[in-house]
Amino acid sequence: MALTPKLTALFAAGVLAAFAAGAASAAGMPSKINGPHAKLPCSTCHKNEMTAPPKETCLSCHGSYDKLAERTAKLTPNPHFSHRGEEDCTNCHSLHGKSRLECNDCHSFNLNFKW
């Protein structure tokens, strides 16, 4: 069964679109931003490259690690008061994907909070 020129063109366009989406993803192009950061321009967090920002970039808006620990003091355990010290924010938080609790790499905490 031969494809008509219209179906061939449609198929080719679909393959190209899928390839382009995959290439953008592989190149580190971000997907949509989650949560309250969604309205910020990319340059707020990404200075020169589209890589995860350093902890200092996050803290420049969110305050010191001590202030973050105060804001999450009612959580048990407090993820910002860790025996591992001041971890990189992106170890748990992701603006472009699903965030995770790094503590659960070794522990089994059940923390339910917004991030």
Side-chain angles (χ1 to χ4, degrees):
M1 175 178 179
L3 294 176
T4 65
K6 188 174 184 178
L7 284 176
T8 301
L10 185 61
F11 177 75
V15 169
L16 286 174
F19 175 76
S25 177
M29 297 297 290
S31 59
K32 70 175 186 147
I33 298 176
N34 301 316
H37 297 87
K39 294 183 181 180
L40 296 175
C42 298
S43 60
T44 304
C45 299
H46 302 285
K47 301 304 177 198
N48 298 319
E49 298 179 10
M50 294 305 284
T51 58
K55 168 177 53 182
E56 293 74 22
T57 300
C58 302
L59 296 178
S60 70
C61 291
H62 293 280
S64 69
Y65 225 85
D66 289 336
K67 286 187 181 186
L68 287 173
E70 286 176 23
R71 289 175 47 194
T72 56
K74 292 182 181 180
L75 296 174
T76 304
N78 184 343
H80 297 109
F81 187 73
S82 169
H83 62 88
R84 294 183 61 183
E86 295 183 3
E87 292 287 308
D88 284 332
C89 304
T90 56
N91 288 359
C92 296
H93 300 276
S94 175
L95 299 183
H96 298 288
K98 185 176 181 179
S99 295
R100 67 184 201 88
L101 184 62
E102 185 184 42
C103 299
N104 283 343
D105 288 352
C106 299
H107 304 279
S108 296
F109 298 127
N110 186 21
L111 293 178
N112 294 314
F113 56 98
K114 295 185 333 184
W115 41 344

